[in-house]
Amino acid sequence: MIEGLVTYERLMPGAKIGSLSLDIAAADIDDYRRITAGTDLELPLSPGLAVALMMRAYMRLMPERPPGSIHASQKLRLGVPLAAGDRVTVALRCAEKERRKERGWVRFETEIRNQASALVLASEHWVVWGQ
């Protein structure tokens, strides 16, 4: 986890930002049902829940970000499905950063693995970092 305001200058390519372990609890499933308009979730759980967990970890591992960031692109690779009772670990790292038209662009990589170390989700996403 990065403490304090996460500026573009503080992000180091190749550096691990942190990891977070999360349990797939009934409350998570209920929250996901609410944001998906009450859709019945079947087991194994929807890949959308893995994406929601990824974003939860991103927000917790870098809680203070400058305003004005833009989520520019994202690639996802899905692995094994989630199931109620799973414990997952979400790892986030800064993979790359560059300047484009005077703005800082940052590429993050995220991996979610379950309690058996099986890949649940791998993500790469570019963010135009706020100033």
Side-chain angles (χ1 to χ4, degrees):
M1 180 170 153
I2 300 178
E3 298 290 334
L5 182 64
V6 182
T7 61
Y8 178 79
E9 292 72 27
R10 292 186 64 198
L11 293 166
M12 296 295 141
K16 181 179 177 180
I17 292 169
S19 63
L20 185 65
S21 292
L22 301 165
D23 294 313
I24 309 302
D28 296 311
I29 295 167
D30 290 342
D31 287 346
Y32 187 71
R33 279 191 178 118
R34 276 194 291 281
I35 64 173
T36 57
T39 305
D40 287 333
L41 292 177
E42 296 179 18
L43 295 177
L45 297 172
S46 163
L49 181 57
V51 173
L53 293 172
M54 176 190 67
M55 294 311 298
R56 177 183 291 174
Y58 176 87
M59 303 291 276
R60 288 186 184 174
L61 292 170
M62 293 189 300
E64 293 183 54
R65 295 170 311 284
S69 292
I70 302 166
H71 188 103
S73 71
Q74 185 162 356
K75 295 179 187 175
L76 300 174
R77 182 169 49 101
L78 299 174
V80 300
L82 288 168
D86 276 352
R87 181 172 184 81
V88 298
T89 301
V90 185
L92 175 66
R93 76 181 199 99
C94 173
E96 180 181 355
K97 69 181 196 177
E98 61 186 55
R99 289 271 177 198
R100 299 183 200 170
K101 297 182 181 179
E102 300 181 25
R103 292 292 306 263
W105 286 65
V106 183
R107 182 171 62 90
F108 293 99
E109 292 177 345
T110 308
E111 263 193 10
I112 301 178
R113 294 193 175 268
N114 68 11
Q115 64 277 3
S117 296
L119 181 69
V120 173
L121 178 135
S123 169
E124 171 187 298
H125 65 279
W126 280 97
V127 175
V128 182
W129 207 249
Q131 299 180 13

